[in-house]
């Protein structure tokens, strides 16, 4: 990749940043007020395409300079100097190094960012200068999705549990806390049993931790071997995380021995 000297690039930018060709007296402050906004979502580690239409509005015209800014009037992060030839054979400069390239053959056209990072989240502006047509500005908001890092289940004593837990006596109130680390936007946390939703309310959320507390009052023998699943997700673009526990029940209730439970479980006592 050939790099365009930043001094030359800065001169080109300053020469036309504030005046819009074909619109005398029109000033650009913090980007064009009425430039269209496109929202793009991408998952960390994935690929994002920031659309930028470089097709000239009139026949015979051609783009001579393409600039991508991080922010409305921020520092250029990508440029194409097409004054001496078509975009496909022009000088490309990238502040994102090999993570970015401009694709003029796909639909939509735009800046392709690979291995998306959390710091890539934000507002961008694409500016296209043509030989004779007015400058075109397009705004893009990149929403970077950071999937949750970890999901865990803890008991009422605050100890992390997994697999088969218990045994719990009949009549007991079971309290389990599902805790999810990370995630942007903040993830949804829900409890499930065999495809049936038990609880999808978030009781506490602080920092990068989101919690959902499940309470099952008055356990019965029907809870024996019941599988409880805590599931979390913050986007349909990534797979949800889940943690599962299986309840074990004892025949002894909190007050006496439950003979019916023993017969149901073991066949005979």
């Amino acid at each position: 990749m050939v790099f365009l000297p930043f001094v030359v690039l800065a001169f080109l930018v300053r020469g036309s940043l504030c005046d819009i060709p074909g619109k005398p007296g029109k000033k650009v402050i913090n980007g064009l007020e009425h430039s269209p906004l496109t929202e793009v979502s991408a998952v960390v580690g994935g690929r994002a395409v920031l659309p930028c239409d470089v097709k000239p509005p009139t026949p015979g015209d051609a783009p001579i300079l393409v600039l991508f800014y991080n922010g409305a009037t921020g520092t250029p992060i990508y440029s194409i100097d097409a004054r001496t030839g078509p975009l496909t054979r022009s000088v490309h400069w990238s502040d994102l190094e090999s993570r970015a390239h401009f694709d003029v053959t796909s639909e939509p056209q735009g800046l392709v960012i690979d291995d998306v990072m959390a710091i890539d989240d934000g507002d961008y502006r694409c500016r296209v200068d043509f030989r004779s047509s007015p400058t075109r500005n397009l705004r893009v908001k990149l929403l970077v999705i950071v999937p949750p890092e970890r999901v865990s289940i803890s008991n009422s004593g605050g100890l992390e549990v997994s697999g088969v837990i218990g045994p719990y006596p009949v009549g007991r109130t079971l309290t389990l806390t599902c805790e999810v680390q990370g995630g942007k936007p903040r993830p949804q946390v829900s409890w499930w049993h065999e495809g049936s939703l038990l609880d999808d309310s978030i009781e506490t959320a602080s920092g990068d931790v989101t919690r959902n507390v499940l309470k099952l009052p008055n356990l019965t023998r029907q809870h024996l071997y019941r599988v409880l699943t805590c599931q979390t997700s913050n986007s349909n673009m990534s797979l949800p995380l889940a943690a599962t526990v299986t309840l074990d029940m004892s025949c002894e209730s909190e007050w006496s021995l439950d003979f019916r439970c023993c017969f149901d479980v073991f066949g005979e006592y």
Side-chain angles (χ1 to χ4, degrees):
M1 180 179 290
V2 181
F3 293 93
L4 178 66
F6 187 76
V7 174
V8 177
L9 176 62
F11 175 79
L12 292 171
V13 175
R14 293 191 187 98
S16 56
L17 180 60
C18 294
D19 296 309
I20 303 178
K23 296 184 179 180
K26 181 70 175 180
K27 300 297 181 181
V28 178
I29 301 176
N30 294 329
L32 284 178
E33 182 180 357
H34 299 294
S35 59
L37 174 65
T38 302
E39 290 192 353
V40 176
S41 297
V43 179
V44 165
R47 166 175 286 194
V49 179
L50 308 184
C52 180
D53 185 6
V54 297
K55 297 175 184 176
T58 58
D61 200 357
I64 59 173
L65 181 65
V66 179
L67 293 166
F68 252 99
Y69 295 89
N70 188 344
T73 58
T75 304
I77 60 170
Y78 199 94
S79 68
I80 308 175
D81 184 0
R83 291 172 296 171
T84 59
L87 292 178
T88 54
R89 298 197 300 270
S90 299
V91 178
H92 290 232
W93 174 86
S94 173
D95 190 43
L96 302 178
E97 300 179 341
S98 61
R99 287 204 302 131
H101 69 276
F102 198 96
D103 190 346
V104 297
T105 62
S106 65
E107 186 62 39
Q109 299 171 318
L111 184 66
V112 179
I113 302 179
D114 290 309
D115 192 20
V116 171
M117 302 178 181
I119 59 174
D120 294 329
D121 186 278
D123 296 327
Y124 294 81
R125 180 166 64 94
C126 173
R127 169 198 172 122
V128 185
D129 288 346
F130 297 96
R131 292 191 183 278
S132 57
S133 300
T135 293
R136 177 184 295 153
N137 284 266
L138 302 102
R139 295 178 298 133
V140 182
K141 176 180 286 291
L142 176 58
L143 305 174
V144 177
I145 298 169
V146 182
E149 300 172 8
R150 185 174 184 269
V151 56
S152 61
I153 299 174
S154 58
N155 59 23
S156 57
L159 298 177
E160 184 173 340
V161 293
S162 61
V164 179
I165 61 174
Y168 295 97
V170 172
R172 171 72 61 84
T173 295
L174 176 65
T175 301
L176 295 174
T177 300
C178 181
E179 186 171 276
V180 178
Q181 299 281 345
K184 180 179 176 292
R186 188 173 292 280
Q188 297 294 317
V189 184
S190 53
W191 284 96
W192 298 80
H193 167 60
E194 295 182 350
S196 297
L197 178 64
L198 300 178
D199 186 349
D200 62 353
S201 60
I202 297 176
E203 280 75 11
T204 56
S206 59
D208 64 345
V209 177
T210 307
R211 299 181 182 90
N212 185 334
V213 179
L214 174 68
K215 289 190 176 182
L216 297 178
N218 194 26
L219 293 176
T220 68
R221 62 188 186 281
Q222 279 76 27
H223 287 95
L224 180 65
Y225 302 140
R226 176 166 294 188
V227 178
L228 302 176
T229 300
C230 176
Q231 182 173 294
T232 180
S233 177
N234 65 346
S235 167
N236 57 9
M237 300 176 65
S238 59
L239 295 176
L241 292 179
T244 299
V245 293
T246 301
L247 302 186
D248 186 16
M249 299 291 300
S250 67
C251 294
E252 184 179 357
S253 71
E254 291 186 316
W255 305 280
S256 63
L257 188 64
D258 191 333
F259 290 96
R260 293 174 300 171
C261 174
C262 298
F263 276 106
D264 289 343
V265 175
F266 303 109
E268 60 180 63
Y269 184 69

